Amino acid sequence: MREGGLLSGTLQPSSVTADQMTLRNILLATDFSECSERALSYALGIASRYESRLHLFHCIDPTPYNLVEPDAVQTARDDARRELERLASDLRRGRAKNVEVKVVAEAGDLAVILPRAVKDLDLGLIVVGTHGRTVVDQVSCPVLSVGPSGNRTRIQEFGPENILLAREASSRSQLAESYASSLARKYGSRLTVVDVLENRSGRVVAQVSQLEWCEAERGNTTLDRTQTSSSQLPTEIGTQSDLILQVANQTAADLMVLAVPAAHRFVDRFLSTNLYRVVCDAPCPVLTVHARPERSLDQ
């Protein structure tokens, strides 16, 4: 690994001055729990900002029905669809008056059904009311995980004030940068970028840059980049996850965008120590974006 010093923030002006990214379709994966209800608030807020179609999705696992009558799985699927339709109807009359809401109820292997839904529905974002590690490993599109620590009324209603983009040298992603800067633009948020690595001495070093949202002229909006003082950033605190979580707390982040390597697997906690801990212990919702071959920003 590269040694010593601090990494430079590398968001290019072209990636933060023009917001051409759209999210035509957002999917909320729900199990009708309290966590899913909390995630719904985030999904609705983003769908409203981006004028997206919101799909309410529930998948029935057929395994528990193997020893009962063959029609039991279909009955469970029909029940789930009715529950989704009731929820959609309530949303259309209330919180989602300006959002098109659709329902999707499936039965089968989630690892097969969800990737197919990403393609068939042209999804740009999945929102899930857990840490979402399994979902992140199954799909190609970004996933917003709203864990137990994401219960903040203000961000649900008005959006994030402080967004943190965390990445390392192996996980640079134009798509992650585009999501982070686009969300900052939509919500008028402060965007903090932290680049981290571990040098040969075992010390974690990083560069933190902050980008402030402003309107230079009427109708001409941009993000101005200012660099924080390096003396404010600890450079010897144990692990990459320690550093990212500390910066999240120091900047009062209420949304984190986490760029992860293309081959990274969250389901194996023993091989995913740093990023696994960030997702589990983050003080706010986490948007995970794999560093895969770049997609068009109009998806």
Side-chain angles (χ1 to χ4, degrees), residues 7-208:
L7 286 174
S8 297
T10 57
L11 277 186
Q12 300 300 316
S14 61
S15 68
V16 296
T17 57
D19 182 9
Q20 299 176 347
M21 193 183 79
T22 61
L23 296 176
R24 296 192 186 98
N25 293 281
I26 297 172
L27 182 141
L28 172 74
T30 178
D31 60 2
F32 308 109
S33 66
E34 182 180 346
C35 286
S36 292
E37 172 61 27
R38 188 161 56 242
L40 174 60
S41 297
Y42 288 88
L44 280 173
I46 297 173
S48 179
R49 293 275 176 164
Y50 284 87
E51 299 181 347
S52 311
R53 181 182 296 110
L54 178 61
H55 301 268
L56 305 179
F57 171 87
H58 182 78
C59 184
I60 299 293
D61 179 4
T63 305
Y65 300 91
N66 287 341
L67 300 179
V68 298
E69 59 186 40
D71 294 338
V73 174
Q74 184 60 46
T75 299
R77 179 181 175 181
D78 292 342
D79 290 343
R81 176 173 289 277
R82 281 192 291 271
E83 186 67 22
L84 290 174
E85 290 287 6
R86 281 195 293 269
L87 176 57
S89 180
D90 290 342
L91 291 174
R92 294 182 190 115
R93 292 195 299 267
R95 291 185 289 168
K97 289 181 179 179
N98 63 335
V99 176
E100 183 180 0
V101 181
K102 300 286 187 178
V103 303
V104 182
E106 298 284 358
D109 184 357
L110 185 65
V112 174
I113 292 173
L114 203 52
R116 188 173 65 215
V118 171
K119 181 179 179 180
D120 293 347
L121 300 176
D122 187 25
L123 297 179
L125 177 66
I126 292 177
V127 182
V128 60
T130 65
H131 289 130
R133 296 181 299 274
T134 302
V135 174
V136 171
D137 286 342
Q138 292 170 346
V139 299
S140 58
C141 71
V143 176
L144 177 63
S145 304
V146 184
S149 60
N151 189 17
R152 297 183 179 182
T153 304
R154 190 212 170 275
I155 183 177
Q156 293 175 14
E157 294 180 355
F158 305 108
E161 290 183 337
N162 298 290
I163 297 174
L164 175 65
L165 169 61
R167 61 193 182 180
E168 54 186 281
S170 63
S171 62
R172 294 297 175 82
S173 169
Q174 182 185 350
L175 186 60
E177 294 174 3
S178 297
Y179 270 73
S181 58
S182 178
L183 287 164
R185 176 187 174 98
K186 289 289 185 181
Y187 288 103
S189 312
R190 171 184 296 155
L191 175 59
T192 301
V193 183
V194 55
D195 287 289
V196 297
L197 61 78
E198 189 172 354
N199 70 6
R200 294 178 186 174
S201 301
R203 293 187 308 156
V204 179
V205 295
Q207 173 72 41
V208 173

Side-chain angles (χ1 to χ4, degrees), residues 214-280:
C214 67
E215 292 194 18
E217 299 176 6
R218 187 170 183 177
N220 179 22
T221 50
T222 186
L223 283 167
D224 285 343
R225 177 176 168 225
T226 57
Q227 183 174 303
T228 60
S229 169
S230 60
S231 62
Q232 297 175 2
L233 179 66
T235 60
E236 192 170 353
I237 56 176
T239 67
Q240 294 179 8
S241 59
D242 291 329
L243 187 146
I244 293 172
L245 292 170
Q246 183 159 335
V247 173
N249 286 320
Q250 288 178 344
T251 59
D254 40 25
L255 176 64
M256 183 185 297
V257 180
L258 184 63
V260 299
H264 189 81
R265 303 289 293 177
F266 279 94
V267 292
D268 190 340
R269 63 178 300 177
F270 300 105
L271 298 179
S272 307
T273 305
N274 278 295
L275 297 181
Y276 180 94
R277 186 186 166 202
V278 170
V279 173
C280 290

